[in-house]
Amino acid sequence: GSGRARDPTAHACAGGLGPVEQVRAFACAAEHSYRALELGEPSRVDRSLATESITAAAQGNGALSERHAAAARLALARSGERAKTLAIVPASEALAFMMRGRWRDTLSAAATAKAWIRRHTTGAWGELGFVEETELWGLAATGDFVTLVARQEAVAKRAIEQQDLYAGFGARSGLSNLAYLASDLPDRALAETERAVALWSKRGGHLQRMFDALARANVHLYARRPAEAAAVLAKLDAGMPRRLLVPEPVPALMADVRLRVALARALAGGPAPDRAERRLLRELTKGSREWAAGLAALLEAGLAEVDGNSSLAARRAEEAAGLLLAADMVYLSKLASIYSRSQ
């Protein structure tokens, strides 16, 4: 078809597949950018810049993501009457910050995006939904559980009412699911992620399977059931394609929960983490994941405790507290400080 007809199709494809299957989403994003430039219409080009900022962040290229985002922000400031067609621009910035592990910036950008979307648009439920979902993940990562609990239920309810499958899932599973654990409702937490994932196809390697496994594993760890948490991850591994492109920050979050499960198993009297599980520390700090250095240090402290080296555990936990605070993961920083003093 014509470039004019294919551009919105490519844009919809990139946005629709982005939360599900990355390879095809990236291909659609590239076509969207090509068609937008070919047509030369400002709104299409501005949207493509916003989409590319998400694509770059998903691949761990923070510098490129920031350049695309800066160009999109400038375009938005000059958009005038075109502003109502560009809800994706402020929404994309919040998502890109989340993918880069910049949690405080995620919350700031989400607040700005929500206000902008409500002021300039009507009916941009898709953009508003994924901004609110992204905000919930930011609240969970920073450990602001009071605000997370206060907002999560309303976000999930609105997403379900709007039949927004992505936001409805994201508000009840993944990191958002911690809202139920913060309220000491592990059974509800398990039930909600089960309801959310039941709406997804069991074919292919959808990222929602990973988010569901992350939520379930956290529930079982909270309930001191490391064997059940390990079974959740084993089932995920058996059902997912071996070669799957996974966007940031999911690889780090999954490496973190896998090693936490291994440590919980050891502390419950099971075998110590094996060599492959210990290598997960490298996955945590791979590439541009500086934000995850505190998680890695805290897990190293746990490994040192399992190995019987309490002095090393205390030192690594103290270091983790500082690194986590620098990454705006305030709640975990406090826990690391308490853990350090207990050794």
Side-chain angles (χ1 to χ4, degrees), residues 221-297:
L221 289 176
Y222 178 88
R224 300 185 181 183
R225 300 190 294 255
E228 285 87 339
V232 166
L233 297 177
K235 183 177 179 180
L236 172 71
D237 293 340
M240 294 290 279
R242 290 187 178 276
R243 298 175 68 86
L244 181 67
L245 184 60
V246 180
E248 300 294 336
V250 182
L253 294 176
M254 293 307 298
D256 170 66
V257 76
R258 288 178 187 279
L259 192 44
R260 284 192 288 116
V261 168
L263 286 169
R265 179 195 66 210
L267 292 171
D274 59 29
R275 187 173 298 178
E277 289 167 332
R278 290 169 187 261
R279 281 201 296 268
L280 290 168
L281 286 172
R282 286 188 231 163
E283 182 68 23
L284 267 171
T285 54
K286 187 177 178 180
S288 59
R289 296 174 190 154
E290 294 89 352
W291 66 271
L295 294 179

Side-chain angles (χ1 to χ4, degrees), residues 75-164:
L76 188 63
R78 298 173 176 175
S79 61
E81 285 300 310
R82 293 188 295 109
K84 61 186 178 183
T85 68
L86 296 177
I88 186 62
V89 175
S92 68
E93 189 155 22
L95 183 59
F97 276 136
M98 187 270 283
M99 288 177 164
R100 295 163 62 189
R102 290 175 54 176
W103 305 112
R104 191 66 62 189
D105 288 334
T106 298
L107 296 178
S108 176
T112 299
K114 287 194 301 180
W116 191 96
I117 290 169
R118 286 168 176 153
R119 184 168 62 249
H120 290 284
T121 70
T122 55
W125 293 109
E127 289 85 353
L128 183 60
F130 88 66
V131 168
E132 290 183 322
E133 172 194 348
T134 300
E135 183 178 47
L136 293 179
W137 280 51
L139 290 168
T142 57
D144 186 354
F145 293 117
V146 172
T147 308
L148 175 65
V149 170
R151 294 183 184 174
Q152 181 269 342
E153 196 79 44
V155 172
K157 183 174 183 291
R158 183 160 52 250
I160 293 169
E161 288 174 350
Q162 294 295 329
Q163 298 184 332
D164 186 336

Side-chain angles (χ1 to χ4, degrees), residues 38 49 57 87 94 141 184 243 253 269 292 296 311:
E38 182 182 48
L49 287 169
D184 193 26
R243 298 175 68 86
L253 294 176
S311 61

